[in-house]
Amino acid sequence: VGAQKISDHHVRSPLLNINRSCQTCHKWSEEELKARAETIQERTFVLRNRTMDALVALINDIKASKDAGASDADLAEARKMQRRGQFYLDFIESENSNGFHAPEESARVLGDAIDYFRQGQVSLRELKAHK
């Protein structure tokens, strides 16, 4: 196993000391490295907010369906999709790099979460159509 470079053991944002945390491996300027990180994090933040909006929309739709008389059995699929998507969203939230460590994977996971929330809403629409 090859030796890894340990650049800084100080637990804080690597962007606070780009020279020691990033430039030991990446040979771009501090300004470019910081701009790249901030762009990735901003894009992830925007997608995360869209994902949260989709979650809230599904929760509101589940509540409206329950208030309209849907049973727990009727709501089971929507709730399953809510839990599944929520797990994905929670994973990205707890990862703590705002997408920087794996931007493509963060975007994929958030996209999957949005899809689960959408599937939950579709199940509620189908429930309405059959009643």
Side-chain angles (χ1 to χ4, degrees), residues 35-51 92 98-100 103-104 106-107 110:
R36 285 178 178 211
E38 288 173 346
T39 297
I40 289 167
Q41 290 178 330
E42 178 61 26
R43 288 176 181 162
T44 302
F45 182 74
V46 167
L47 186 54
R48 190 236 25 197
N49 286 347
R50 286 184 184 155
T51 307
I92 296 300
N98 295 322
F100 184 71
E104 295 87 1
S106 295
L110 290 170

Side-chain angles (χ1 to χ4, degrees), residues 1-126:
V1 176
Q4 275 190 327
K5 291 183 186 181
I6 303 297
S7 52
D8 194 341
H9 290 282
H10 215 76
V11 179
R12 59 193 179 125
S13 172
L15 296 179
L16 295 175
N17 192 346
I18 292 171
N19 183 22
R20 292 184 67 195
S21 59
C22 303
Q23 286 183 314
T24 58
C25 298
H26 304 285
K27 301 306 179 193
W28 296 289
S29 71
E30 285 190 30
E31 295 78 25
E32 183 174 349
L33 287 168
K34 184 174 182 189
R36 285 178 178 211
E38 288 173 346
T39 297
I40 289 167
Q41 290 178 330
E42 178 61 26
R43 288 176 181 162
T44 302
F45 182 74
V46 167
L47 186 54
R48 190 236 25 197
N49 286 347
R50 286 184 184 155
T51 307
M52 286 186 172
D53 289 345
L55 168 61
V56 170
L58 175 56
I59 290 170
N60 288 337
D61 289 349
I62 291 171
K63 181 183 183 317
S65 293
K66 181 146 181 83
D67 291 348
S71 69
D72 286 340
D74 292 335
L75 300 173
E77 183 65 17
R79 287 176 172 157
K80 175 182 163 187
M81 293 297 109
Q82 184 268 317
R83 284 189 305 276
R84 186 170 288 169
Q86 180 75 55
F87 177 83
Y88 278 43
L89 176 58
D90 289 347
F91 175 79
I92 296 300
E93 278 294 284
S94 65
E95 189 273 329
N96 205 32
S97 77
N98 295 322
F100 184 71
H101 290 138
E104 295 87 1
E105 183 65 3
S106 295
R108 183 196 66 79
V109 169
L110 290 170
D112 285 351
I114 290 170
D115 186 55
Y116 288 130
F117 300 143
R118 181 197 61 77
Q119 288 179 49
Q121 289 178 307
V122 167
S123 75
L124 295 173
R125 287 189 191 114
E126 290 173 353

